[in-house]
Amino acid sequence: MPMTEAKFIFPDWPAPACVHAASTTRRGGASTAPYDSFNLATHVGDTLQHVQQNRQQLREALQLPDEPAWLEQVHGVEVVEAGGSIPGVADASISTERGNVCAVMTADCLPVLMCDRQGRGVAAAHAGWRGLAGGVIEATAERLCRRLACDADALLVWLGPAIGPQAFEVGDEVRDAFMRIDTSAGQAFIAHRPGHWLADIYLLARQALQRQGIEAVYGGGRCTYSEAEDFFSFRRNPRTGRMASLIWLSE
């Protein structure tokens, strides 16, 4: 498949001019089915040459100041610094340095991008249901606020494309995990069939952010499962590619 121009989603949020952010779609790139065509992950079985071509196109199209800090994501709550050596195993990264690119990859899980209102720091978190229940959003916000010596209400948050509430079917164990954290999580689950629920991952994330005192939350509303032309979806096809959500500071 010849490489075509990649398509991006840019957050509609009141971030400072020095904060740059984007989410990729599956459109554009060099990968062939079932990774067609802008797959950015090296761990899913795609041809390495195609992934490298896609990553090069990503850097050029977004004029990235450096290679993104690609993480080995494990649905956990570890938060690392984006700069310096290879980040390693983690599900979120932060940076207060100009030119470091925080990045997470998803294909149904929720990408969460953060910055402060003054443009001094940024963060990216990978939030599947396990990470959400484990506190990855809280851990990321706390790490960024600690570094910036600011309160949580100084942060802006953008929720990237994830599986929508009409498609995200989960079992009792998932609902129970969130209900143990906060009974208001019940608002995010609709009974679907015996022992199964439709879960609203966007609402669960907003509830977690609200508990942290973060009210300025933007984005949400896309569905990676149902919007097959735009997004990879692990639920729809376990052998598939990954999108990336990225955020960085410029001078």
Side-chain angles (χ1 to χ4, degrees):
M1 176 182 290
M3 179 176 287
T4 56
E5 184 179 357
K7 306 297 181 183
F8 300 92
I9 298 170
F10 296 100
D12 181 10
W13 63 340
C18 62
V19 174
H20 305 272
S23 278
T24 67
T25 68
R26 70 181 300 165
R27 294 175 181 265
S31 297
T32 57
Y35 310 105
D36 49 322
S37 54
F38 198 47
N39 166 52
L40 295 164
T42 59
H43 68 284
V44 296
D46 193 5
T47 302
L48 181 59
Q49 180 183 359
H50 289 162
V51 179
Q52 291 173 335
Q53 288 177 310
N54 292 340
R55 289 187 174 187
Q56 178 63 30
Q57 184 182 181
L58 175 74
R59 292 192 294 270
E60 293 175 355
L62 295 180
Q63 299 182 346
L64 297 180
D66 199 356
E67 180 71 17
W70 303 114
L71 305 173
E72 183 181 343
Q73 298 168 189
V74 293
H75 298 275
V77 299
E78 184 69 23
V79 184
V80 297
E81 297 282 341
S85 60
I86 298 174
V89 178
D91 281 86
S93 65
I94 71 164
S95 180
T96 57
E97 300 295 327
R98 310 288 170 174
N100 291 340
V101 183
C102 299
V104 290
M105 287 188 286
T106 58
D108 283 336
C109 292
L110 175 64
V112 181
L113 302 182
M114 303 180 183
C115 71
D116 71 301
R117 298 175 189 272
Q118 296 181 18
R120 298 179 299 141
V122 294
H126 160 247
W129 78 261
R130 290 181 179 84
L132 270 177
V136 68
I137 285 181
E138 295 91 332
T140 306
E142 289 170 2
R143 179 79 172 266
L144 184 58
C145 287
R146 188 164 61 249
R147 173 57 62 86
L148 298 175
C150 70
D151 294 329
D153 62 5
L155 299 185
L156 306 175
V157 175
W158 184 74
L159 306 179
I163 189 168
Q166 292 79 32
F168 189 25
E169 182 178 337
V170 300
D172 285 333
E173 74 284 358
V174 176
R175 183 176 183 272
D176 292 345
F178 286 98
M179 292 294 284
R180 286 193 293 269
I181 299 169
D182 185 349
T183 56
S184 66
Q187 301 169 14
F189 294 88
I190 297 175
H192 185 51
R193 58 190 175 91
H196 291 78
W197 308 78
L198 292 176
D200 188 339
I201 199 169
Y202 290 120
L203 178 55
L204 291 168
R206 289 176 182 276
Q207 289 176 338
L209 290 163
Q210 188 174 42
R211 288 195 296 270
Q212 291 295 108
I214 302 172
E215 300 289 345
V217 183
Y218 303 86
R222 302 298 297 268
C223 179
T224 51
Y225 183 90
S226 62
E227 298 179 55
E229 291 187 358
D230 284 332
F231 303 118
F232 298 114
S233 169
F234 184 81
R235 281 284 182 110
R236 191 177 61 242
N237 182 1
R239 189 163 171 249
T240 194
R242 298 292 187 272
M243 290 88 65
S245 294
L246 314 99
I247 189 167
W248 68 99
L249 295 170
S250 67
E251 297 296 340

